[in-house]
Amino acid sequence: MNTKRLLLGMAAALIVGPALAQQPAPAVPGWAVGRPEGSTLAPHGPTLTVTPVDRLPVAALRLPEGFSAAVFAHGIPGARAMAEGPNGTIFAGSRVIGRVYAITRNADGSTRTRVIAQGLNNPNGIVMAGNNLYVLALNRVLRFDNIEANLDNVPAPVELTQAFGLPGEADHGGNHFWKVASLGPDNRIYTNVGAPCNICSVDRDRFALLVSFNLDGSDRRIEARGVRNSVGLAHHPVTRELWATNHGRDWAGNDTPQDTLIRVRRSGEDHGYPFCVGSWADPQENAGRNCGEFAQPAALLGGHTAPIGMRFYTGTMFPEQYRNQAFIALRGSWNREQLSGYDVVVAKLDAQGNVTGVEPFMTGLRDDANQRFLGRPVDVQVLRDGSMLVADEQMGAIYRITYRQ
Amino acid sequence: MLRMLAAAVLAAAIPGAAPAQDAHRGAELARQTCLMCHGENGRSQTEDIPSLAGQPADFITLQMILFREGTRQVPVMNEFAAHMPDKDIEDLAAFFASLPPGPPDDRRARDAALYAAGQALVGPRNCGVCHVSDFGGRAQIPRIAAQREEFLARSMMEYRDGRRAGADTQMNGAVVGLSDADIAALAHFLAQQD
């Protein structure tokens, strides 16, 4: 070990704490900073085989009075972010299985699923603009023109990777590279660029951002800075403001920092990564910054609950109290001693767009007594009839929630 | 060989062990396609090809799906896995998971200095957090104890250099900044575990 490495190692050890400072140790990788000695927490593995329909946990789902859930589609391993085409096709992206699914409804109410793209690197950014489907993967942006008319014979997509110029695999160093995408009321594509680490100082113009583009990939605009890892975006149907979910860092406690719901009041505003989450100063990367100088979260969603997809409820089937409220899928924790999340929650907003509370909406997938989970909600989608779809990535299924008085 | 297979089949036949998977059927499939390279008892005697004996079933299932879908690129494996039904993959996984793990016959003798260098890295890199303290793996996380040394080294370099990703990005983070010499030491230490 040369002198420079030794010094680096010692510097890292000093930051972590006096116990490690007694002997020079190899530098602790950024993702593991703060990890307690002896912890055995590790991410839960995905299920990427088909789960038989009779093994889906639909009977375990709990909803408020008057709501019910049924299986909308199944046999779609890893199904994640959803978008709806003008003719009612539901498109679903995925992460490691690399597929994009198209789900159509048969006359009898059953569904048919096609794989319309595969072998892609985490194609989770799925957005419709007119008749065209955009797919944002880690290293590519593809446009499938007039997709609903071509589901049985999908033509080669238009390659927009260069035009969008998003950071690639090497830039992300394997961290937070998955995309989410949404079409804004200004007809621009909104997406995320995650931080290339658990916690580290980053180029704040390149990473930990929400960004928007024209449909052809031109005119990149930074919508929000200092957003560690957002995997859910939606525009408020009335105020047109951009809202997003955001994951806090790991290895800083069971309850700190909290995952957050953020509201972007002004394009380009700063949400604090890596220095702060709300009023919470990061123990390693705060760099003496006052947390009050950053935009504060619209709501705190709990430690490690992993909020993913979100949508405002714009339908009329649900009771009036749910109109324009934010539904958020919590994929559920791994970096926490007791499981948290695994629910769909609703953030209640007042007329000014301030969050007045966060309430459980769909529960039952987290088994606290046995510390296990039955599924992982990852996205919500409001259908035109006012019902709501919930994608369960772990079970490879989509549930449909309806309301009847 | 036959006795070993029979033992594996018996182990898998214990009620409740793996109800949906059929290790016996997996053994038949493996005999046709896998064992030539991965070793008759699931312990690879071939350079650069990993041992699969005693790997967690979830790990094998996940990797086979990544091969099938082409999201993990190893041309020979992509070809074998192409169009393979989930059922075949799960049965193969149950079979390999049921085999007793162990080192390859040609495992080299321990190099004390290299072993110590590797041992010194295992703690700071938290290898045992996910792979478990005996490095036997769990769920989607592989057994790395007694794996072939050159395969361990190549895998860590692929993660470090961004040429491989798992279901999540933990391994990419875990090996970030390791030198080739660090990786060689870690691979030696892990290959020597039993």
Side-chain angles (χ1 to χ4, degrees), chain B residues 103-188:
Chain B
D105 298 344
D106 62 345
R107 180 165 69 177
R108 68 164 162 148
R110 184 174 299 189
D111 173 327
L114 199 55
Y115 185 93
Q119 190 167 28
L121 285 163
V122 157
R125 290 285 165 166
N126 296 291
C127 306
V129 171
C130 295
H131 292 279
V132 187
S133 55
D134 68 357
F135 308 107
R138 55 169 158 153
Q140 86 280 19
I141 299 159
R143 166 179 293 279
I144 48 177
Q147 184 54 277
R148 293 190 65 88
E149 185 171 332
E150 78 286 346
F151 179 79
L152 288 170
R154 181 162 65 84
S155 299
M156 283 188 272
M157 287 186 192
E158 287 174 351
Y159 280 118
R160 182 194 63 187
D161 300 339
R163 286 180 283 125
R164 182 173 168 189
D168 54 63
T169 57
Q170 294 290 315
M171 267 309 293
N172 304 85
V175 295
V176 75
L178 287 179
S179 67
D180 287 1
D182 292 338
I183 286 177
L186 268 174
H188 185 65

Coordinates of all heavy atoms in Angstrom, one line a residue, chain B residues 103-188:
Chain B
P103 N -14.6 -27.5 -2.9 CA -13.6 -26.9 -3.8 C -13.4 -27.7 -5.1 O -13.7 -28.9 -5.0 CB -12.4 -26.8 -3.0 CG -12.5 -27.9 -2.0 CD -14.0 -28.1 -1.8
P104 N -12.8 -27.2 -6.1 CA -12.4 -28.0 -7.3 C -11.2 -28.8 -6.9 O -10.5 -28.5 -6.0 CB -12.1 -26.9 -8.3 CG -11.7 -25.7 -7.6 CD -12.6 -25.7 -6.3
D105 N -11.1 -29.9 -7.6 CA -9.9 -30.8 -7.3 C -8.6 -30.1 -7.5 O -7.6 -30.5 -6.8 CB -10.0 -32.1 -8.3 CG -11.2 -32.9 -8.1 OD1 -11.9 -32.7 -7.0 OD2 -11.6 -33.7 -9.0
D106 N -8.6 -29.2 -8.4 CA -7.3 -28.5 -8.7 C -7.1 -27.2 -7.9 O -6.3 -26.4 -8.3 CB -7.1 -28.2 -10.2 CG -8.2 -27.3 -10.7 OD1 -9.2 -27.0 -10.0 OD2 -8.1 -26.8 -11.8
R107 N -7.8 -27.1 -6.8 CA -7.6 -25.8 -6.0 C -6.1 -25.8 -5.6 O -5.5 -26.7 -5.0 CB -8.5 -25.9 -4.7 CG -8.3 -24.6 -3.9 CD -9.4 -24.4 -2.9 NE -9.3 -25.4 -1.8 CZ -10.2 -25.4 -0.7 NH1 -11.1 -24.5 -0.7 NH2 -10.1 -26.3 0.2
R108 N -5.5 -24.6 -5.8 CA -4.1 -24.5 -5.5 C -3.9 -24.3 -4.0 O -4.8 -24.0 -3.2 CB -3.5 -23.3 -6.2 CG -4.0 -21.9 -5.8 CD -3.0 -20.9 -6.4 NE -3.6 -19.5 -6.3 CZ -2.8 -18.5 -6.2 NH1 -1.5 -18.6 -6.0 NH2 -3.4 -17.3 -6.2
A109 N -2.6 -24.6 -3.6 CA -2.3 -24.5 -2.2 C -2.4 -23.0 -1.7 O -2.3 -22.1 -2.4 CB -0.9 -25.0 -2.0
R110 N -2.6 -22.9 -0.4 CA -2.8 -21.6 0.2 C -1.5 -20.8 0.2 O -0.4 -21.3 0.5 CB -3.3 -21.7 1.6 CG -3.6 -20.4 2.3 CD -4.2 -20.6 3.7 NE -5.5 -21.3 3.6 CZ -6.3 -21.4 4.6 NH1 -5.9 -20.9 5.8 NH2 -7.4 -22.0 4.5
D111 N -1.6 -19.5 -0.3 CA -0.4 -18.6 -0.3 C -0.7 -17.7 0.9 O -1.6 -16.9 0.9 CB -0.4 -17.8 -1.6 CG 0.6 -16.7 -1.6 OD1 0.8 -16.1 -0.5 OD2 1.1 -16.4 -2.7
A112 N 0.1 -17.9 2.0 CA -0.2 -17.2 3.2 C -0.3 -15.7 3.1 O -1.2 -15.1 3.7 CB 0.9 -17.6 4.3
A113 N 0.6 -15.1 2.4 CA 0.6 -13.6 2.2 C -0.7 -13.2 1.5 O -1.3 -12.2 1.9 CB 1.9 -13.2 1.5
L114 N -1.0 -13.8 0.4 CA -2.1 -13.5 -0.4 C -3.4 -13.7 0.4 O -4.3 -12.9 0.4 CB -2.1 -14.3 -1.7 CG -3.0 -13.8 -2.8 CD1 -2.6 -12.4 -3.2 CD2 -2.8 -14.7 -4.0
Y115 N -3.4 -14.8 1.1 CA -4.6 -15.1 2.0 C -4.8 -14.0 3.0 O -5.9 -13.5 3.2 CB -4.4 -16.5 2.6 CG -5.6 -17.0 3.4 CD1 -6.5 -17.8 2.9 CD2 -5.7 -16.6 4.8 CE1 -7.6 -18.3 3.6 CE2 -6.8 -17.1 5.5 CZ -7.7 -18.0 4.9 OH -8.8 -18.4 5.7
A116 N -3.7 -13.6 3.6 CA -3.8 -12.6 4.7 C -4.3 -11.3 4.1 O -5.1 -10.5 4.7 CB -2.5 -12.4 5.4
A117 N -3.8 -10.9 2.9 CA -4.2 -9.7 2.3 C -5.7 -9.7 1.9 O -6.4 -8.7 2.1 CB -3.4 -9.5 1.0
G118 N -6.2 -10.9 1.5 CA -7.6 -11.0 1.2 C -8.4 -10.9 2.4 O -9.5 -10.2 2.5
Q119 N -8.0 -11.6 3.5 CA -8.7 -11.6 4.8 C -8.8 -10.2 5.3 O -9.9 -9.8 5.9 CB -7.9 -12.5 5.8 CG -8.7 -12.7 7.0 CD -8.1 -13.9 7.8 OE1 -6.9 -14.1 7.7 NE2 -8.9 -14.6 8.6
A120 N -7.8 -9.4 5.1 CA -7.8 -8.0 5.6 C -8.9 -7.1 4.9 O -9.3 -6.1 5.4 CB -6.5 -7.4 5.5
L121 N -9.2 -7.5 3.7 CA -10.2 -6.7 2.9 C -11.7 -7.2 3.1 O -12.6 -6.4 2.9 CB -9.9 -6.9 1.4 CG -8.7 -6.1 0.9 CD1 -8.2 -6.6 -0.5 CD2 -9.0 -4.6 0.8
V122 N -11.8 -8.4 3.5 CA -13.2 -9.0 3.7 C -14.0 -8.2 4.7 O -15.2 -7.9 4.4 CB -13.1 -10.5 4.0 CG1 -14.4 -10.9 4.7 CG2 -12.8 -11.3 2.8
G123 N -13.4 -7.8 5.8 CA -14.2 -7.0 6.8 C -14.6 -5.6 6.3 O -15.7 -5.3 6.2
P124 N -13.6 -4.8 5.9 CA -13.9 -3.5 5.4 C -14.9 -3.5 4.2 O -15.7 -2.6 4.1 CB -12.5 -2.9 5.0 CG -11.6 -3.7 5.8 CD -12.1 -5.1 6.0
R125 N -14.8 -4.5 3.4 CA -15.7 -4.5 2.2 C -17.0 -5.2 2.6 O -17.9 -5.4 1.7 CB -15.0 -5.3 1.1 CG -13.9 -4.4 0.5 CD -14.4 -3.3 -0.4 NE -13.3 -2.3 -0.6 CZ -13.4 -1.4 -1.6 NH1 -14.5 -1.3 -2.3 NH2 -12.4 -0.5 -1.7
N126 N -17.2 -5.7 3.8 CA -18.5 -6.2 4.3 C -19.0 -7.4 3.4 O -20.2 -7.6 3.3 CB -19.5 -5.1 4.2 CG -19.2 -4.0 5.2 OD1 -19.3 -4.2 6.4 ND2 -18.9 -2.9 4.7
C127 N -18.1 -8.2 3.0 CA -18.5 -9.3 2.1 C -19.5 -10.3 2.8 O -20.4 -10.8 2.2 CB -17.3 -10.2 1.6 SG -16.0 -9.2 0.8
G128 N -19.2 -10.5 4.1 CA -20.0 -11.4 4.8 C -21.4 -10.9 5.2 O -22.3 -11.7 5.6
V129 N -21.7 -9.6 5.0 CA -23.0 -9.0 5.3 C -24.0 -9.7 4.4 O -25.1 -10.2 4.8 CB -23.0 -7.5 5.1 CG1 -24.4 -7.0 5.2 CG2 -22.1 -6.9 6.2
C130 N -23.8 -9.7 3.1 CA -24.7 -10.3 2.1 C -24.4 -11.8 1.9 O -25.4 -12.5 1.8 CB -24.6 -9.5 0.8 SG -25.2 -7.8 0.9
H131 N -23.2 -12.1 1.8 CA -22.9 -13.5 1.4 C -22.9 -14.4 2.6 O -22.6 -15.6 2.5 CB -21.5 -13.6 0.7 CG -21.5 -12.9 -0.6 ND1 -21.9 -13.6 -1.8 CD2 -21.1 -11.7 -1.0 CE1 -21.8 -12.8 -2.8 NE2 -21.3 -11.6 -2.4
V132 N -23.1 -13.9 3.8 CA -23.2 -14.6 5.1 C -21.8 -14.9 5.6 O -20.9 -15.0 4.8 CB -24.1 -15.9 5.0 CG1 -24.3 -16.5 6.4 CG2 -25.4 -15.6 4.4
S133 N -21.6 -15.0 6.9 CA -20.3 -15.0 7.5 C -19.5 -16.2 7.0 O -18.2 -16.1 6.9 CB -20.4 -15.0 9.0 OG -21.2 -16.1 9.4
D134 N -20.1 -17.3 6.6 CA -19.3 -18.4 6.0 C -19.2 -18.3 4.5 O -18.7 -19.3 3.9 CB -19.9 -19.8 6.5 CG -21.2 -20.1 5.8 OD1 -21.8 -19.2 5.1 OD2 -21.8 -21.2 6.1
F135 N -19.7 -17.2 3.9 CA -19.7 -17.0 2.5 C -20.4 -18.0 1.7 O -20.1 -18.3 0.5 CB -18.2 -16.8 2.0 CG -17.4 -15.9 2.8 CD1 -16.4 -16.3 3.7 CD2 -17.7 -14.5 2.7 CE1 -15.8 -15.4 4.5 CE2 -17.0 -13.6 3.5 CZ -16.0 -14.0 4.4
G136 N -21.4 -18.6 2.4 CA -22.2 -19.6 1.7 C -23.4 -19.1 0.9 O -24.1 -19.8 0.2
G137 N -23.6 -17.8 1.0 CA -24.7 -17.1 0.2 C -26.1 -17.4 0.8 O -26.2 -18.1 1.8
R138 N -27.0 -16.7 0.2 CA -28.4 -16.8 0.7 C -29.3 -16.2 -0.4 O -28.9 -15.2 -1.1 CB -28.7 -16.1 2.0 CG -28.3 -14.7 2.0 CD -28.8 -13.9 3.2 NE -28.1 -12.7 3.4 CZ -28.5 -11.7 4.1 NH1 -29.8 -11.6 4.5 NH2 -27.8 -10.6 4.3
A139 N -30.5 -16.8 -0.6 CA -31.4 -16.3 -1.6 C -30.8 -16.0 -2.9 O -30.1 -16.8 -3.5 CB -32.2 -15.1 -1.0
Q140 N -30.8 -14.7 -3.4 CA -30.3 -14.4 -4.7 C -28.8 -14.1 -4.7 O -28.2 -13.7 -5.7 CB -31.0 -13.1 -5.3 CG -30.5 -11.8 -4.8 CD -31.0 -11.3 -3.4 OE1 -31.4 -12.1 -2.6 NE2 -30.9 -10.0 -3.2
I141 N -28.2 -14.3 -3.5 CA -26.8 -13.9 -3.3 C -25.9 -15.2 -3.3 O -26.2 -16.1 -2.5 CB -26.6 -13.2 -1.9 CG1 -27.4 -11.9 -2.0 CG2 -25.2 -12.9 -1.6 CD1 -27.8 -11.3 -0.6
P142 N -24.9 -15.3 -4.2 CA -24.3 -16.6 -4.4 C -23.3 -17.0 -3.3 O -22.8 -16.2 -2.5 CB -23.5 -16.3 -5.7 CG -23.2 -14.9 -5.6 CD -24.4 -14.2 -5.1
R143 N -23.1 -18.4 -3.2 CA -22.0 -19.0 -2.4 C -20.7 -18.6 -3.1 O -20.6 -18.8 -4.3 CB -22.2 -20.5 -2.4 CG -21.0 -21.3 -2.0 CD -21.3 -22.8 -2.0 NE -22.3 -23.1 -1.0 CZ -22.1 -23.3 0.3 NH1 -20.9 -23.2 0.8 NH2 -23.1 -23.5 1.1
I144 N -19.8 -18.0 -2.4 CA -18.5 -17.7 -2.9 C -17.4 -18.4 -2.3 O -16.3 -18.5 -2.8 CB -18.2 -16.1 -2.9 CG1 -18.5 -15.6 -1.5 CG2 -19.1 -15.4 -3.9 CD1 -18.2 -14.1 -1.3
A145 N -17.7 -19.1 -1.1 CA -16.7 -20.0 -0.5 C -16.4 -21.1 -1.4 O -17.2 -21.7 -2.0 CB -17.3 -20.5 0.8
A146 N -15.1 -21.4 -1.6 CA -14.6 -22.5 -2.4 C -14.9 -22.4 -3.8 O -14.8 -23.4 -4.6 CB -15.1 -23.8 -1.8
Q147 N -15.3 -21.3 -4.3 CA -15.6 -21.1 -5.7 C -14.2 -21.1 -6.4 O -13.2 -20.8 -5.8 CB -16.3 -19.8 -6.0 CG -16.7 -19.4 -7.4 CD -17.5 -20.5 -8.1 OE1 -16.9 -21.5 -8.6 NE2 -18.8 -20.4 -8.0
R148 N -14.2 -21.3 -7.7 CA -12.9 -21.3 -8.4 C -12.3 -19.9 -8.4 O -13.0 -18.9 -8.6 CB -13.1 -21.7 -9.9 CG -13.5 -23.1 -10.1 CD -13.4 -23.5 -11.6 NE -12.1 -23.4 -12.0 CZ -11.2 -24.4 -12.0 NH1 -11.6 -25.6 -11.5 NH2 -10.0 -24.3 -12.4
E149 N -11.0 -19.8 -8.0 CA -10.4 -18.5 -7.7 C -10.4 -17.6 -8.9 O -10.7 -16.4 -8.8 CB -8.9 -18.8 -7.3 CG -8.2 -17.6 -6.8 CD -6.8 -18.0 -6.2 OE1 -6.7 -19.1 -5.6 OE2 -5.9 -17.2 -6.2
E150 N -10.0 -18.1 -10.1 CA -9.9 -17.2 -11.3 C -11.3 -16.7 -11.7 O -11.5 -15.6 -12.2 CB -9.2 -17.9 -12.4 CG -10.0 -18.9 -13.2 CD -10.3 -20.2 -12.5 OE1 -9.6 -20.5 -11.5 OE2 -11.2 -21.0 -13.0
F151 N -12.3 -17.5 -11.4 CA -13.7 -17.1 -11.7 C -14.1 -16.0 -10.7 O -14.7 -15.0 -11.1 CB -14.7 -18.2 -11.6 CG -16.1 -17.8 -11.9 CD1 -16.5 -17.6 -13.2 CD2 -17.0 -17.5 -10.9 CE1 -17.8 -17.1 -13.5 CE2 -18.3 -17.1 -11.1 CZ -18.7 -16.9 -12.4
L152 N -13.8 -16.1 -9.5 CA -14.1 -15.0 -8.5 C -13.4 -13.7 -8.9 O -14.0 -12.7 -8.9 CB -13.6 -15.4 -7.1 CG -14.4 -16.5 -6.4 CD1 -13.7 -17.0 -5.1 CD2 -15.8 -16.0 -6.0
A153 N -12.2 -13.8 -9.3 CA -11.4 -12.6 -9.7 C -12.1 -12.0 -10.9 O -12.3 -10.7 -10.9 CB -10.0 -13.0 -9.9
R154 N -12.4 -12.8 -11.9 CA -13.0 -12.2 -13.1 C -14.3 -11.5 -12.8 O -14.6 -10.4 -13.3 CB -13.2 -13.3 -14.2 CG -13.7 -12.7 -15.5 CD -13.5 -13.7 -16.6 NE -14.2 -15.0 -16.5 CZ -15.5 -15.1 -16.8 NH1 -16.2 -14.1 -17.3 NH2 -16.0 -16.3 -16.6
S155 N -15.1 -12.2 -11.9 CA -16.4 -11.6 -11.6 C -16.3 -10.3 -10.9 O -17.0 -9.3 -11.2 CB -17.2 -12.6 -10.7 OG -17.4 -13.8 -11.4
M156 N -15.4 -10.2 -10.0 CA -15.2 -8.9 -9.2 C -14.7 -7.8 -10.2 O -15.2 -6.7 -10.1 CB -14.3 -9.1 -8.1 CG -14.9 -9.8 -6.9 SD -13.9 -9.9 -5.4 CE -13.0 -11.4 -5.7
M157 N -13.9 -8.2 -11.1 CA -13.4 -7.2 -12.1 C -14.6 -6.7 -13.0 O -14.7 -5.5 -13.3 CB -12.3 -7.7 -12.9 CG -11.0 -7.8 -12.1 SD -9.6 -8.3 -13.2 CE -8.4 -8.7 -11.9
E158 N -15.4 -7.6 -13.4 CA -16.6 -7.3 -14.2 C -17.5 -6.3 -13.4 O -18.0 -5.3 -14.0 CB -17.4 -8.5 -14.6 CG -16.6 -9.3 -15.7 CD -17.3 -10.6 -16.0 OE1 -18.3 -11.0 -15.3 OE2 -16.9 -11.3 -17.0
Y159 N -17.7 -6.6 -12.2 CA -18.5 -5.7 -11.4 C -17.8 -4.3 -11.2 O -18.4 -3.2 -11.4 CB -18.8 -6.3 -10.0 CG -19.9 -7.3 -9.9 CD1 -19.7 -8.6 -9.6 CD2 -21.2 -6.9 -10.3 CE1 -20.7 -9.5 -9.5 CE2 -22.3 -7.8 -10.2 CZ -22.0 -9.1 -9.8 OH -23.0 -10.0 -9.8
R160 N -16.5 -4.4 -10.9 CA -15.8 -3.1 -10.7 C -15.8 -2.3 -12.0 O -16.0 -1.0 -11.9 CB -14.4 -3.4 -10.3 CG -13.5 -2.2 -10.0 CD -12.0 -2.5 -10.0 NE -11.5 -3.0 -11.3 CZ -10.3 -3.5 -11.4 NH1 -9.5 -3.6 -10.4 NH2 -9.9 -3.9 -12.6
D161 N -15.6 -2.9 -13.1 CA -15.5 -2.2 -14.4 C -16.8 -1.9 -15.1 O -16.9 -1.5 -16.2 CB -14.5 -2.9 -15.3 CG -13.2 -3.1 -14.7 OD1 -12.8 -2.3 -13.8 OD2 -12.4 -4.0 -15.1
G162 N -17.9 -2.2 -14.4 CA -19.2 -1.9 -14.9 C -19.6 -2.8 -16.1 O -20.5 -2.4 -16.9
R163 N -19.0 -4.0 -16.1 CA -19.4 -4.9 -17.2 C -20.4 -5.9 -16.8 O -20.8 -6.8 -17.5 CB -18.2 -5.6 -17.8 CG -17.3 -4.7 -18.6 CD -16.1 -5.4 -19.2 NE -15.0 -5.5 -18.2 CZ -14.4 -6.7 -17.8 NH1 -14.8 -7.8 -18.4 NH2 -13.5 -6.7 -16.9
R164 N -20.8 -5.9 -15.5 CA -21.8 -6.8 -15.0 C -22.6 -6.1 -13.9 O -22.0 -5.3 -13.1 CB -21.1 -8.1 -14.4 CG -22.2 -9.1 -13.9 CD -21.5 -10.4 -13.6 NE -22.5 -11.2 -12.8 CZ -22.2 -12.4 -12.2 NH1 -21.0 -12.8 -12.2 NH2 -23.1 -13.0 -11.6
A165 N -23.9 -6.4 -13.8 CA -24.7 -5.8 -12.8 C -25.7 -7.0 -12.3 O -26.1 -7.8 -13.1 CB -25.5 -4.6 -13.2
G166 N -26.0 -7.0 -11.1 CA -27.0 -8.0 -10.6 C -28.4 -7.4 -10.6 O -28.7 -6.4 -11.3
A167 N -29.2 -8.0 -9.8 CA -30.6 -7.5 -9.6 C -30.6 -6.1 -9.0 O -31.5 -5.4 -9.1 CB -31.4 -8.5 -8.8
D168 N -29.6 -5.8 -8.2 CA -29.4 -4.5 -7.6 C -27.9 -4.1 -7.8 O -27.2 -4.9 -8.5 CB -29.8 -4.5 -6.2 CG -29.1 -5.6 -5.4 OD1 -27.8 -5.5 -5.3 OD2 -29.7 -6.5 -4.9
T169 N -27.5 -3.0 -7.3 CA -26.2 -2.5 -7.6 C -25.2 -2.7 -6.4 O -24.1 -2.1 -6.4 CB -26.3 -1.0 -7.9 OG1 -26.9 -0.4 -6.8 CG2 -27.1 -0.8 -9.1
Q170 N -25.6 -3.6 -5.5 CA -24.7 -3.7 -4.3 C -23.3 -4.2 -4.6 O -22.3 -3.7 -4.1 CB -25.3 -4.7 -3.3 CG -26.6 -4.2 -2.7 CD -26.5 -3.1 -1.7 OE1 -25.6 -3.1 -0.9 NE2 -27.3 -2.1 -1.9
M171 N -23.2 -5.1 -5.6 CA -21.8 -5.6 -5.9 C -21.0 -4.6 -6.6 O -19.8 -4.5 -6.3 CB -21.9 -6.9 -6.7 CG -21.9 -8.2 -5.9 SD -20.5 -8.3 -4.7 CE -19.1 -8.4 -5.8
N172 N -21.6 -3.8 -7.4 CA -20.8 -2.7 -8.1 C -20.3 -1.8 -7.0 O -19.1 -1.3 -7.1 CB -21.7 -2.0 -9.1 CG -22.3 -2.9 -10.1 OD1 -23.4 -3.5 -9.8 ND2 -21.7 -3.0 -11.2
G173 N -21.1 -1.5 -6.0 CA -20.6 -0.6 -5.0 C -19.6 -1.3 -4.1 O -18.6 -0.6 -3.7
A174 N -19.7 -2.6 -3.8 CA -18.9 -3.3 -2.9 C -17.4 -3.3 -3.4 O -16.5 -3.4 -2.6 CB -19.4 -4.7 -2.6
V175 N -17.2 -3.4 -4.7 CA -15.9 -3.6 -5.2 C -15.3 -2.3 -5.8 O -14.2 -2.3 -6.3 CB -15.8 -4.7 -6.3 CG1 -16.2 -6.0 -5.7 CG2 -16.7 -4.4 -7.5
V176 N -16.0 -1.2 -5.6 CA -15.5 0.1 -6.2 C -14.1 0.4 -5.7 O -13.9 0.2 -4.5 CB -16.5 1.2 -6.0 CG1 -16.5 1.7 -4.6 CG2 -16.3 2.4 -7.0
G177 N -13.2 0.8 -6.6 CA -11.9 1.2 -6.1 C -10.9 0.1 -5.8 O -9.8 0.4 -5.4
L178 N -11.3 -1.1 -5.9 CA -10.4 -2.2 -5.6 C -9.4 -2.3 -6.7 O -9.7 -2.2 -7.9 CB -11.1 -3.6 -5.4 CG -11.9 -3.8 -4.2 CD1 -12.6 -5.2 -4.2 CD2 -11.1 -3.7 -2.9
S179 N -8.1 -2.5 -6.4 CA -7.1 -2.7 -7.4 C -7.1 -4.2 -7.9 O -7.7 -5.0 -7.2 CB -5.7 -2.4 -6.8 OG -5.4 -3.4 -5.8
D180 N -6.5 -4.5 -9.0 CA -6.4 -5.9 -9.4 C -5.7 -6.7 -8.4 O -6.1 -7.9 -8.2 CB -5.5 -5.9 -10.7 CG -6.3 -5.4 -11.9 OD1 -7.5 -4.9 -11.8 OD2 -5.7 -5.4 -13.0
A181 N -4.8 -6.2 -7.7 CA -4.1 -6.9 -6.6 C -5.0 -7.2 -5.4 O -5.0 -8.3 -4.9 CB -2.8 -6.2 -6.1
D182 N -5.8 -6.2 -5.1 CA -6.8 -6.4 -4.0 C -7.8 -7.6 -4.4 O -8.1 -8.4 -3.6 CB -7.7 -5.2 -3.8 CG -6.9 -4.0 -3.2 OD1 -5.9 -4.2 -2.6 OD2 -7.4 -2.8 -3.4
I183 N -8.2 -7.5 -5.7 CA -9.2 -8.5 -6.1 C -8.5 -9.9 -6.1 O -9.2 -10.9 -5.7 CB -9.7 -8.1 -7.5 CG1 -10.7 -7.0 -7.4 CG2 -10.4 -9.3 -8.2 CD1 -11.3 -6.4 -8.6
A184 N -7.3 -10.0 -6.5 CA -6.6 -11.3 -6.5 C -6.5 -11.8 -5.1 O -6.7 -13.0 -4.9 CB -5.2 -11.1 -7.1
A185 N -6.3 -11.0 -4.2 CA -6.2 -11.4 -2.8 C -7.5 -11.9 -2.2 O -7.6 -12.9 -1.6 CB -5.6 -10.3 -1.9
L186 N -8.6 -11.1 -2.5 CA -9.9 -11.5 -2.1 C -10.3 -12.8 -2.7 O -10.9 -13.7 -2.0 CB -10.9 -10.4 -2.5 CG -11.2 -9.3 -1.5 CD1 -12.1 -8.2 -2.2 CD2 -11.9 -9.8 -0.3
A187 N -10.0 -13.0 -4.0 CA -10.4 -14.2 -4.7 C -9.7 -15.4 -4.1 O -10.3 -16.5 -3.9 CB -10.1 -14.1 -6.2
H188 N -8.4 -15.2 -3.7 CA -7.7 -16.3 -3.1 C -8.2 -16.7 -1.7 O -8.5 -17.8 -1.4 CB -6.2 -15.9 -3.0 CG -5.3 -17.1 -2.5 ND1 -5.2 -18.2 -3.2 CD2 -4.6 -17.2 -1.3 CE1 -4.4 -19.0 -2.5 NE2 -4.1 -18.5 -1.4

